[in-house]
Amino acid sequence: MKLRHKVLGIAALLLAAFAARADLGDWIQHLPSPTQIEAALFRPVSAPAGAVEILRPAKEAQGELGKLIAAAPAESSLYALRARQDELALDASAAESDWKKQVELAPDKAAAELDLADFYARRLRPREELAALGNAAKAASPATERFTPANQQRSWRAFVRMLTVIQEHLLPADLASESYRGWIARYPREHEPYASYFDFLLAQKQFREAERLLADYRKAFPEDAVYPVEAAAALAGAQGTPEDALHVYEASFQPLWPPSLVKSYFDRLKARHGLRRFLEQARAQATQRPTDMNPAARLFYYYQQAGNLPAAQRALLDFRQRKESAKSPWTATELRTMAELFAGALNYDEAARNYYAMDAAPGADAGVQETALASLAQLLLDAPDAAIHFGSGDLSLYRDIGTMDRDPGYLNGVLSLLLNSTDPAYRYSAEDQASLPYFHRAKAAELIALFNTRFPKSARRPGLEMRLISAYSTYGENEGVVRAGKAFLSEFPQAEERTNVALLMADAYARTEQTNSEFAIYDDLLKELAAKAEGMPLGQAAAVENPTGDKPATPQTRSPQYAQVLDRYIARLVALKRLEDALTLYRREIDRNVDDPGLYERLAAFLEQNKMSADLEATYRKAMAQFPDSDW
């Protein structure tokens, strides 16, 4: 009985496909019905309890399906049905012919090529399987994959399968190279095809080709500071010795390397027992070039990676002392490096000092000043409890400005600009440690207002404003959240941070029991996010495969923000025991996004969880009518 139901499901899907065709003509009257397809695959036999239907032998089903094909010769799905019967009848030649005919006629040729590739896989014909997979891989993505991540798309999976086939059947390496190049050409902005091909070339000892690929990667991803260094080191090590790999890191070293690259470097040093030599070389370089930032940064990272933060900070303080003793002028780059390294060592006070000085450094253009001011404001918000003199109003740290000022009034003028408020020393000096977060927020708010005035077109503005609103929310300043949130939503209609800001406003309304205003936020967000997702905010609840297999697959949605808002809205309604309102919300969202199967799935789960069986049945029936998916 299950087999018969499955056949009927296939027939229903076929009819749905027929109905979706745009070129319907007189031949539609010849299309087979589900009953005809069932009759082609089943036949009645006598039994003691009466006539029953059994599957026809494959040879017999071939003939019956041939009759249906004669009536509708342009319908590709019928050839796929007969091809399966051909295989059951062990007629490989006929099966191959039918699978190829499906490719010729199918509206979705890439899907048909994958069916053909499956046939060749069953016949252990890897080269023909590769050819079919290649055709599918090069095809454009279907409309249904518009919001699908690249590594889940049909074309991507076809390329991965091609490489697996080549590996499993020990096919020539040039076939793998051709497949990798096709993968990169199809997805030129994705990192994984480049990295996989690079690893393959190293394994094959094709070093010259690996060098060319790495050059192509640098052009395609100029912003990536990590992978090119790691890959170049791996290449040098493969061509020579592990010491050659270390030389690549040493020659490429930058004081503001990303943390992952620093860790990679020191892991290699540790593996080669090179840490002591590194320390000795860094100390020698610091002695030879006392005002050079590079040796100081090397010493900082040595102690930081060893977990000795006081020693790491001492390396920076010693460098500052050497610079000032030599009366060597600071550059904006050096000051930014010092600020970010101190922040990485959790010394926010020194970080603030250097960000402040960076704004006034020689040659500091508008871009440098923008970075300095934004970083200083962000620091105050990210470290609300740190004893940062700048944020607390204690200006004793800056008393030496008069003695270090290279031009009369230069740094004092910058300080006045950054502390552009009414009598700030008096405002802060009377406050104790417990009030630091408040004054940090207050000073950060002033700096952000100053930043907005000086850099009104900066792309950093939305992020800074959101951090400030988040700080208001953390400390329960509900009026500040709502006031700043409304201004944000009005001023930044396209900002990525809009959803987070709106949800912070909703939290503020919830804390003050303004339920109607809270729910109005959710309503606006759902409408806005659904429109951005073109009426498909959730989509099919497909699972993403985990290649390591150590964790279960996780479902993906087209708009995670929409799902977040919907879940929060439903949870609030349930907490208030307003189940009917929750049901109304689901129905409204389905009416607004009628083609989104994910909403039906969530509604069905909600109804089942709350034991609303009558509504559950109606939901399934509506989904069955809306989607030709037999799962419903």
Side-chain angles (χ1 to χ4, degrees):
M1 184 61 69
K2 289 183 179 179
L3 180 59
R4 183 176 179 184
H5 287 168
K6 186 174 181 179
V7 171
L8 287 173
I10 293 173
L13 290 176
L14 281 172
L15 286 181
F18 297 156
R21 292 177 63 102
D23 56 346
L24 293 177
D26 294 338
W27 59 272
I28 193 171
Q29 59 185 319
H30 302 298
L31 288 179
S33 66
T35 303
Q36 289 174 302
I37 294 176
E38 182 183 3
L41 299 176
F42 292 87
R43 64 179 172 85
V45 297
S46 299
V52 296
E53 290 188 340
I54 63 170
L55 272 173
R56 292 182 184 272
K59 285 283 187 183
E60 189 176 315
Q62 282 178 292
E64 295 299 319
L65 287 170
K67 296 176 184 178
L68 297 182
I69 289 174
E75 184 44 57
S76 61
S77 300
L78 291 176
Y79 291 94
L81 279 176
R82 190 171 68 176
R84 292 182 173 87
Q85 298 302 315
D86 296 337
E87 291 189 58
L88 291 174
L90 304 182
D91 190 346
S93 177
E96 182 176 11
S97 177
D98 279 339
W99 286 122
K100 286 183 174 180
K101 192 67 176 178
Q102 185 203 15
V103 172
E104 177 186 335
L105 298 174
D108 188 350
K109 294 193 181 299
E113 290 280 9
L114 291 175
D115 287 339
L116 181 59
D118 291 340
F119 164 74
Y120 286 130
R122 291 190 291 270
R123 301 300 301 172
L124 296 180
R125 294 166 61 180
R127 288 185 179 270
E128 290 89 344
E129 181 183 357
L130 276 181
L133 288 172
N135 292 333
K138 295 171 186 175
S141 296
T144 54
E145 290 187 342
R146 182 169 184 178
F147 298 97
T148 304
N151 63 356
Q152 299 170 41
Q153 292 177 10
R154 182 174 63 188
S155 180
W156 181 289
R157 295 197 301 269
F159 278 114
V160 172
R161 179 174 163 184
M162 290 170 67
L163 295 166
T164 301
V165 169
I166 293 169
Q167 181 181 14
E168 290 179 347
H169 292 274
L170 303 178
L171 296 178
D174 60 338
L175 290 177
S177 291
E178 182 181 347
S179 299
Y180 276 117
R181 286 193 292 268
W183 191 11
I184 291 171
R186 180 69 174 78
Y187 294 96
R189 295 303 304 161
E190 296 296 328
H191 165 85
E192 185 175 338
Y194 288 90
S196 297
Y197 189 23
F198 184 82
D199 292 342
F200 170 80
L201 292 173
L202 287 192
Q204 296 293 316
K205 300 186 182 304
Q206 298 183 33
F207 301 133
R208 187 165 298 178
E209 185 64 29
E211 288 178 1
R212 285 194 287 266
L213 178 65
L214 188 53
D216 292 341
Y217 181 90
R218 287 192 175 101
K219 293 178 183 177
F221 302 93
E223 72 285 354
D224 189 348
V226 177
Y227 181 76
V229 175
E230 294 179 339
L235 178 59
Q239 289 180 287
T241 68
E243 290 297 321
D244 294 321
L246 282 176
H247 291 329
V248 172
Y249 280 99
E250 292 165 4
S252 307
F253 180 82
Q254 296 293 328
L256 285 183
W257 259 0
S260 62
L261 191 53
V262 173
K263 184 179 185 305
S264 174
Y265 183 19
F266 278 84
D267 284 348
R268 281 185 177 268
L269 284 169
K270 185 176 181 180
R272 299 299 304 165
H273 306 286
L275 289 173
R276 176 56 57 183
R277 183 185 63 186
F278 175 89
L279 177 61
E280 292 172 354
Q281 290 176 345
R283 284 173 172 170
Q285 292 169 358
T287 300
Q288 296 167 4
R289 308 193 304 273
T291 60
D292 188 344
M293 183 77 241
N294 194 297
R298 289 173 180 265
L299 288 170
F300 171 86
Y301 285 127
Y302 173 84
Y303 291 114
Q304 182 208 49
Q305 293 297 305
N308 190 347
L309 291 185
Q313 295 180 56
R314 174 52 55 189
L316 299 179
L317 293 172
D318 289 346
F319 173 67
R320 186 177 75 189
Q321 186 175 14
R322 294 196 299 270
K323 287 275 289 184
E324 293 175 354
S325 297
K327 299 187 183 306
S328 174
W330 288 90
T331 67
T333 299
E334 289 173 334
L335 290 168
R336 179 178 182 179
T337 301
M338 292 283 283
E340 295 195 17
L341 294 181
F342 271 122
L346 308 183
N347 189 333
Y348 301 113
D349 206 12
E350 284 293 335
R353 173 192 177 103
N354 284 278
Y355 279 132
Y356 146 74
M358 177 182 164
D359 186 82
D365 57 16
V368 170
Q369 294 171 347
E370 176 184 343
T371 299
L373 194 53
S375 299
L376 188 54
Q378 182 174 317
L379 190 69
L380 292 173
L381 294 174
D382 289 347
D385 298 315
I388 302 174
H389 291 73
F390 181 88
S392 66
D394 180 357
L395 305 183
S396 60
L397 186 66
Y398 303 95
R399 285 175 181 167
D400 58 350
I401 286 176
T403 60
M404 65 182 287
D405 203 346
R406 71 179 192 285
D407 294 314
Y410 181 75
L411 293 181
N412 281 306
V414 175
L415 181 62
S416 175
L417 176 66
L418 290 177
L419 297 179
N420 184 19
S421 58
T422 303
D423 201 0
Y426 173 78
R427 176 176 177 181
Y428 298 130
S429 60
E431 304 300 328
D432 59 13
Q433 179 72 20
S435 63
L436 277 178
Y438 170 81
F439 287 101
H440 283 187
R441 291 194 306 279
K443 181 49 59 182
E446 292 179 11
L447 290 178
I448 291 173
L450 175 62
F451 184 88
N452 293 339
T453 301
R454 291 177 62 182
F455 309 104
K457 297 182 179 180
S458 172
R460 299 172 183 262
R461 288 187 58 202
L464 287 173
E465 294 283 2
M466 191 200 74
R467 285 175 179 270
L468 180 60
I469 296 169
S470 180
Y472 289 151
S473 179
T474 299
Y475 290 92
E477 296 183 22
N478 298 318
E479 292 184 4
V481 171
V482 172
R483 181 182 64 256
K486 287 181 178 179
F488 182 98
L489 296 179
S490 175
E491 188 165 1
F492 303 107
Q494 303 299 325
E496 295 181 359
E497 297 86 355
R498 283 179 61 83
T499 299
N500 290 336
V501 169
L503 290 178
L504 290 172
M505 292 176 63
D507 288 340
Y509 284 131
R511 288 191 293 268
T512 55
E513 298 183 359
Q514 299 181 60
T515 307
N516 291 338
S517 297
E518 176 192 0
F519 290 171
I521 290 282
Y522 299 144
D523 290 332
D524 291 342
L525 281 176
L526 289 177
K527 184 177 180 180
E528 180 177 310
L529 293 170
K532 287 183 178 179
E534 300 181 7
M536 191 79 74
L538 297 180
Q540 193 71 33
V544 179
E545 295 180 3
N546 184 356
T548 62
D550 57 349
K551 295 181 181 178
T554 55
Q556 295 289 304
T557 57
R558 296 192 174 196
S559 175
Q561 291 183 322
Y562 178 94
Q564 177 190 7
V565 175
L566 180 63
D567 289 343
R568 180 184 292 208
Y569 200 172
I570 293 296
R572 286 285 289 140
L573 289 171
V574 170
L576 295 173
K577 302 185 185 306
R578 294 169 56 173
L579 295 184
E580 287 299 325
D581 289 340
L583 187 57
T584 300
L585 170 62
Y586 270 123
R587 287 171 174 162
R588 185 197 70 191
E589 290 304 300
I590 286 176
D591 290 340
R592 180 184 291 163
N593 310 286
V594 67
D595 293 325
D596 191 334
L599 282 167
Y600 291 84
E601 293 174 3
R602 286 178 179 248
L603 174 57
F606 173 81
L607 293 171
E608 187 170 7
Q609 182 179 4
N610 290 281
K611 297 180 172 56
M612 299 179 176
S613 56
D615 290 312
L616 179 61
E617 180 181 355
T619 299
Y620 276 115
R621 291 189 178 279
K622 185 174 181 179
M624 289 169 61
Q626 183 68 24
F627 306 106
D629 187 346
S630 59
D631 289 347
W632 287 103

